[in-house]
Amino acid sequence: MPLAFIRSLLFLLISYVMLIPYIPVMLIGWLLPARRRYYVMFSYGFVVFWLARIIVGLRWQIEGREHLAGAPGRLIASKHQSTWDSMILPQLLHQPAFVLKKELLWIPIFGTGLAGMGPIAIDRKAGSQALKQIIKQGKAALSQGRDVIIFPEGTRYSPDAEPSYKIGAAMLALQAKADVIPIALNSGCHWKKGQFLKYPGTIHVVIGPPIPIAGKKADALTEEIKQWIEGQQQRLYRQYGCPNTGIAPERQADR
């Protein structure tokens, strides 16, 4: 535990220091062309990953990249367990538009930079209006050739939390006539929501084949998305365990 604390503290301090050069970019990044602005701002993710690998001993593996072989303008439904997720996905996709809560845009400096990347910012308290925002802005982003990332549970969930899938991803898929590419991951086992400590190991990301929408209703499509993602989640936990929750891999649990 002392070593994990020291590594986590060092990682946090250096990552904050490395963020300083990005502050002017977040404030005046609007002056850059949209494509360049997007990748300059998200390049900070490469810095964080490098620090996480060197200091914490945190690596990652991607499975199923071939399922992203289609043209941009794809709808992604991803599990969300950690801040780490929001930094890896832009590196795999084309200028993705994240569906996120609008309160993030109110954070000083950070919010300005985030707004410059064209997210789909919604008011979670708005009920049906929030769903309309997702559909309208999501369709617009897809038509522009941008990938759209939606976290079907709406927020970060711990690995041991009961899943709670919302209907927004399915509704957008049906309205935009876009098949859904599901993603499972176990980032929360090493970089847990709201937790200071980071644990060494390998984060696994599994990209699934597109889930077709033809002939389906929103409820059925939501359930299919959930079953695929949660099935892969359980596979990852059985195969690799989960240090943050005490879940042991099967080869150890069976001894």
Side-chain angles (χ1 to χ4, degrees), residues 80-139:
H80 192 22
Q81 294 185 338
S82 169
T83 302
W84 186 90
D85 313 338
S86 58
M87 289 185 283
I88 190 64
L89 293 175
Q91 298 182 30
L92 301 174
L93 304 168
H94 176 69
Q95 284 187 260
F98 282 86
V99 177
L100 48 80
K101 59 182 181 181
K102 69 176 185 179
E103 288 83 356
L104 292 176
L105 304 183
W106 302 343
I107 301 174
I109 302 178
F110 171 81
T112 303
L114 185 60
M117 291 181 282
I120 300 171
I122 64 169
D123 181 359
R124 286 181 179 172
K125 300 177 182 178
S128 61
Q129 289 301 315
L131 181 57
K132 291 179 180 179
Q133 290 176 322
I134 292 174
I135 293 172
K136 180 180 179 180
Q137 296 181 50
K139 288 174 65 176

Side-chain angles (χ1 to χ4, degrees), residues 81-83 156 158 191-198:
Q81 294 185 338
S82 169
T83 302
R156 292 174 294 173
S158 297
W191 183 327
K192 194 173 183 180
K193 172 186 176 182
Q195 190 174 86
F196 168 71
L197 293 177
K198 311 292 186 294

Side-chain angles (χ1 to χ4, degrees), residues 97-254:
F98 282 86
V99 177
L100 48 80
K101 59 182 181 181
K102 69 176 185 179
E103 288 83 356
L104 292 176
L105 304 183
W106 302 343
I107 301 174
I109 302 178
F110 171 81
T112 303
L114 185 60
M117 291 181 282
I120 300 171
I122 64 169
D123 181 359
R124 286 181 179 172
K125 300 177 182 178
S128 61
Q129 289 301 315
L131 181 57
K132 291 179 180 179
Q133 290 176 322
I134 292 174
I135 293 172
K136 180 180 179 180
Q137 296 181 50
K139 288 174 65 176
L142 291 168
S143 68
Q144 294 166 6
R146 298 182 66 189
D147 293 328
V148 171
I149 300 171
I150 184 167
F151 302 119
E153 294 174 279
T155 187
R156 292 174 294 173
Y157 271 70
S158 297
D160 52 352
E162 187 71 22
S164 176
Y165 282 62
K166 312 297 188 297
I167 204 170
M171 289 295 293
L172 174 57
L174 295 173
Q175 291 291 324
K177 295 180 173 57
D179 293 340
V180 181
I181 298 177
I183 294 181
L185 43 79
N186 63 348
S187 56
C189 296
H190 302 275
W191 183 327
K192 194 173 183 180
K193 172 186 176 182
Q195 190 174 86
F196 168 71
L197 293 177
K198 311 292 186 294
Y199 293 89
T202 301
I203 294 175
H204 295 267
V205 179
V206 185
I207 304 168
I211 297 175
I213 63 169
K216 296 173 184 173
K217 301 292 186 181
D219 288 342
L221 182 56
T222 299
E223 184 63 23
E224 189 171 350
I225 293 169
K226 175 182 176 180
Q227 290 299 322
W228 190 93
I229 293 178
E230 294 305 316
Q232 291 298 312
Q233 293 296 131
Q234 293 306 313
R235 178 179 72 84
L236 291 176
Y237 300 149
R238 289 194 303 268
Q239 187 171 354
Y240 304 108
C242 189
N244 249 327
T245 62
I247 299 174
E250 281 190 345
R251 62 179 180 273
Q252 293 182 9
D254 292 340

Side-chain angles (χ1 to χ4, degrees), residues 26-43:
M26 287 188 283
L27 291 175
I28 62 173
W30 294 87
L31 300 177
L32 297 172
R35 182 181 177 86
R36 184 177 300 176
R37 175 173 69 237
Y38 196 99
Y39 288 110
V40 167
M41 290 182 178
F42 265 117
S43 66

